[in-house]
């Protein structure tokens, strides 16, 4: 492997996603020398290769455009044979079948259950955000104050709830800066609900993306909507446009959104923000460098309790040998590998000084893993609403993100989809194949007729033009035993332990999913839409039974919102980092990203990650790199 080398810089960062890239850019602009260790490959100069992989993929899942290959031979790639593995939604299948969620040869995450953790991520530049729709919601003031507002810690099983060590008012100026960094399209007047406030005359960087025809059809039903029995009897229902990290006009040398309905997994024209935009700006400062295919293996701590170096190994091929070992030394260290890979690195970093791992004196690293378990519902409208155009989603129903019901169950936001039944059943492909071949996987061809010519075109135009779906992103309670640890049996190709996941849904969270179903049923009834949401089979791992008059089986999906595992707080006894995302135990170590969230809150996490990291960059420049 050659001689081991060590690089000395002002700041060392692990991970080049949105957290790492934003902090690197701010430090680079201030003239500080920064080195980023990135486990995956560099983003190519153009994304044609990614697009080709996606278009040719038999399974068009969020991971399909990116390396490493999802398939080898007839099955999923064995995660033990690649150097920077990652989970895929294809490895959430029933036991003993394709994608068995507990088969280490199919699932990168060593899932211990009782239920599967259903969200996935990449290990390339901007890994998690490449699964990002672009939704750039601010959190609500109440999201930062769950314990003081709703007194949840006094209730059985909810002791993990806590207030954040900062408030909406503390973060509000940073939200504005984050919206400028990302390039958010929205109108402030549409976003002032449930306590969200803006400075006088605040304007988003770009005007909002217009509501789609699907959004407009749903909005027309809102004045008459009533949802009973789930604590929302008096809600004044309304559709709100969604702030989006995509261009409604030219911005940051990026094109205007062309409505390709392909935001996940990849915007084909680069109109949607991703962290490569910020990373490119960081590199242009000429103070930031990136080592790609460089996997951090150890965080070393000296006798004074300070981090003294980070060790890494590099490789050239996804399934090839390690080709280089090295280390990086710095004045300040930032781990930004997100909420599964960051605790994995901390827990791997054991020594005489850190026997339980770095920053883990209180045994909190890896705990309180959360997501927004997603309830998916789909229906056929009585008249065409013309989906399959525009971004995947341009609006939602946000008024159900807060209310007195949060003392009993998880809140949710409702995302209105523009892509027909693409998410639920991989349409338009499934319905088209049904109509051509006389099948009925879509449930839209009950007579199993094989159609062609004008009859085929007429039937497809009728069915596809009336499809739409709703996604309910449900608040999950922070549970101490939902956690990331290290597998003592299974490693990746570099010999590093793979993440082991223990995960379940509390009754608080399941009640939120049940309320989502009640709400979906009411919305479809108000629209006179025919619902096609089916009850999942008993062997679907991401499902559970719940009493709703009669016992009903509900299915959840992962939202891609990997949250918790190194939470922030007001004391080293109940948290891993403080409000600046600085480790309580090692004062030159920062842990950035959604892993610091004490609660999952009710909005998509990316904008809040960005706001926190801009705030952290200022703290580093003021306190560590003056």
């Amino acid at each position: 492997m050659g001689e081991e080398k060590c690089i000395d810089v002002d700041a060392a960062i692990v991970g080049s996603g949105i957290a790492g890239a934003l902090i690197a850019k701010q430090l680079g602009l201030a003239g500080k020398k920064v080195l980023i260790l990135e486990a995956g490959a560099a983003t190519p100069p153009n994304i044609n290769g990614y697009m080709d992989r996606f278009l040719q993929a038999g399974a068009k899942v969020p991971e399909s455009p990116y390396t490493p290959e999802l398939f080898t031979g007839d099955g999923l790639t064995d995660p033990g044979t690649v150097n920077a593995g990652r989970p895929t939604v294809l490895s959430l299948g029933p036991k003993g079948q394709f994608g068995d969620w507990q088969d280490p040869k199919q699932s990168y995450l060593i899932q211990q259950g009782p239920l599967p953790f259903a969200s996935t991520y990449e290990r390339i530049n901007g890994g998690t955000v490449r699964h990002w729709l672009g939704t750039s919601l601010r959190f609500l003031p109440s999201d930062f104050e769950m314990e003081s507002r709703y007194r949840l810690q006094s209730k059985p099983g909810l002791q993990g709830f806590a207030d954040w060590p900062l408030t909406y008012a503390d973060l509000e100026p940073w939200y504005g800066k984050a919206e400028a960094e990302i390039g958010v399209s929205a109108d402030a007047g549409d976003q002032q609900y449930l306590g969200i406030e803006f400075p006088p005359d605040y304007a988003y960087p770009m005007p909002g993306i217009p509501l789609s025809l699907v959004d407009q059809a749903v909005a027309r039903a809102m004045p008459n909507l009533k949802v009973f029995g789930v604590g929302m009897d008096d809600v004044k229902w309304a559709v709100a446009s969604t702030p989006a990290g995509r261009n409604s006009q030219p911005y940051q040398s990026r094109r205007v959104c062309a409505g390709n309905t392909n935001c996940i997994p990849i915007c084909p024209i680069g109109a949607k923000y991703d962290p490569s935009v910020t990373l490119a700006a960081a590199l242009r400062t000429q103070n930031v460098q990136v080592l790609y295919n460089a996997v951090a293996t150890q965080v070393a701590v000296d006798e004074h309790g300070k981090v003294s170096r980070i060790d890494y190994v590099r490789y050239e091929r996804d399934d090839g040998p390690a080709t280089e070992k090295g280390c990086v030394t710095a004045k300040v260290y930032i781990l930004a590998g997100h909420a599964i890979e960051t605790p994995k690195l901390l827990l791997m970093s054991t020594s005489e000084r850190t026997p339980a791992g770095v920053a883990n004196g209180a045994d909190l690293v890896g705990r309180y893993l959360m997501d927004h378990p997603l309830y998916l519902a789909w229906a056929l409208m009585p008249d065409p609403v013309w989906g399959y155009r525009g971004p995947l989603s341009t609006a939602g129903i946000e008024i159900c993100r807060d209310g007195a019901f949060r003392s009993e169950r998880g809140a949710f936001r409702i995302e209105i989809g523009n892509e027909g039944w693409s998410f639920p059943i991989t349409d338009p492909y499934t319905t088209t194949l049904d109509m051509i071949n006389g099948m009925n996987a879509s449930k839209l061809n009950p007579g199993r007729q094989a159609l062609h010519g004008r009859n085929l075109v007429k039937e497809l135009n009728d069915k596809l033009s009336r499809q739409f779906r709703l996604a309910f992103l449900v608040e999950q309670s922070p549970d101490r035993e939902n956690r990331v640890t290290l597998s003592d049996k299974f490693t990746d190709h570099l010999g590093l332990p793979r993440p082991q996941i223990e995960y379940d849904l509390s009754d608080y969270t399941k009640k939120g999913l049940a309320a989502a179903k009640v709400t979906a049923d009411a919305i479809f009834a108000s629209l006179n839409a025919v619902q096609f949401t089916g009850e999942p089979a008993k062997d679907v791992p991401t499902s559970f039974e719940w009493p709703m008059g009669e016992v009903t089986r509900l299915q959840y999906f992962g939202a891609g919102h990997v949250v918790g595992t190194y939470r922030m707080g007001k004391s080293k006894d109940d948290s891993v980092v403080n409000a600046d995302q600085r480790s309580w135990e090692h004062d030159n170590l920062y842990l950035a990203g959604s892993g610091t969230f004490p609660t999952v809150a009710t909005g998509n996490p990316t904008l809040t990650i960005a706001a926190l990291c801009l705030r952290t960059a200022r703290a580093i420049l003021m306190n560590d790199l003056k």
Side-chain angles (χ1 to χ4, degrees), residues 97-440:
Q97 299 183 34
F98 172 81
D100 182 339
W101 69 289
Q102 290 188 305
D103 179 0
K105 290 188 176 297
Q106 300 189 74
S107 172
Y108 169 70
L109 301 177
I110 309 304
Q111 299 252 27
Q112 301 296 298
L115 291 172
F117 185 74
S119 278
T120 66
Y121 54 89
E122 301 293 339
R123 291 179 71 189
I124 55 175
N125 166 232
T128 302
V129 182
R130 292 191 183 279
H131 289 44
W132 184 45
L133 177 57
T135 302
S136 298
L137 292 162
R138 296 183 176 204
F139 284 179
L140 307 175
S142 55
D143 290 335
F144 298 93
E145 302 168 353
M146 283 296 292
E147 168 53 21
S148 58
R149 290 198 185 211
Y150 297 110
R151 301 299 177 189
L152 290 161
Q153 286 187 7
S154 62
K155 300 190 175 183
L158 299 181
Q159 283 70 42
F161 272 107
D163 288 353
W164 292 45
L166 40 70
T167 65
Y168 177 84
D170 295 327
L171 207 55
E172 195 285 325
W174 299 101
Y175 272 135
K177 295 180 188 333
E179 286 154 355
E181 283 285 340
I182 289 172
V184 176
S185 298
D187 298 307
D190 296 340
Q191 306 306 316
Q192 298 187 54
Y193 53 80
L194 297 176
I196 295 177
E197 296 181 348
F198 297 85
D201 303 321
Y202 179 80
Y204 279 90
M206 291 170 282
I209 305 287
L211 295 185
S212 70
L213 294 175
V214 179
D215 300 331
Q216 294 173 44
V218 175
R220 286 194 289 271
M222 290 295 102
N224 299 318
L225 179 64
K226 297 293 183 184
V227 182
F228 297 111
V230 290
M232 298 188 297
D233 297 12
D234 299 324
V235 167
K236 294 181 179 179
W237 296 92
V239 167
S241 63
T242 302
R246 68 175 56 82
N247 287 11
S248 64
Q249 61 188 32
Y251 190 82
Q252 293 176 336
S253 301
R254 305 199 317 263
R255 294 175 58 183
V256 173
C257 174
N260 286 288
T261 321
N262 200 55
C263 315
I264 297 174
I266 186 169
C267 175
I269 64 169
K272 184 187 72 171
Y273 170 87
D274 71 63
S276 67
V277 174
T278 298
L279 186 62
L283 294 173
R284 286 195 295 270
T285 68
Q286 300 186 34
N287 291 315
V288 177
Q289 60 176 315
V290 185
L291 291 186
Y292 293 103
N293 297 345
V295 179
T297 60
Q298 178 86 6
V299 179
V301 174
D302 66 20
E303 65 273 17
H304 304 294
K306 288 182 174 291
V307 173
S308 56
R309 73 175 192 280
I310 295 178
D311 297 332
Y312 64 86
V313 296
R314 299 188 74 185
Y315 62 92
E316 293 179 359
R317 301 193 326 269
D318 290 331
D319 58 354
T323 56
E324 176 187 319
K325 283 187 177 181
C327 71
V328 54
T329 58
K331 298 181 181 70
V332 63
Y333 299 82
I334 302 102
L335 305 189
H338 78 74
I340 290 180
E341 297 298 327
T342 290
K344 173 188 155 185
L345 175 58
L346 293 169
L347 293 171
M348 286 196 306
S349 301
T350 56
S351 67
E352 289 184 7
R353 298 188 184 98
T354 57
V358 168
N360 197 31
D363 186 28
L364 290 172
V365 169
R367 295 189 183 274
Y368 301 106
L369 174 66
M370 291 171 279
D371 191 10
H372 283 128
L374 184 150
Y375 178 74
L376 184 64
W378 57 101
L380 209 62
M381 294 283 270
D383 299 302
V385 290
W386 310 110
Y388 297 100
R389 53 200 240 164
L392 285 177
S393 180
T394 42
I397 301 172
E398 311 295 347
I399 202 66
C400 40
R401 287 173 59 188
D402 192 38
F405 57 80
R406 288 178 90 179
S407 65
E408 301 295 331
R409 66 156 176 89
F412 49 75
R413 66 171 299 260
I414 307 172
E415 177 186 276
I416 302 169
N418 291 326
E419 81 290 21
W421 292 359
S422 177
F423 186 172
I425 66 166
T426 322
D427 249 0
Y429 309 105
T430 300
T431 295
T432 301
L433 290 173
D434 281 352
M435 301 296 183
I436 292 172
N437 296 315
M439 302 185 299
N440 192 33

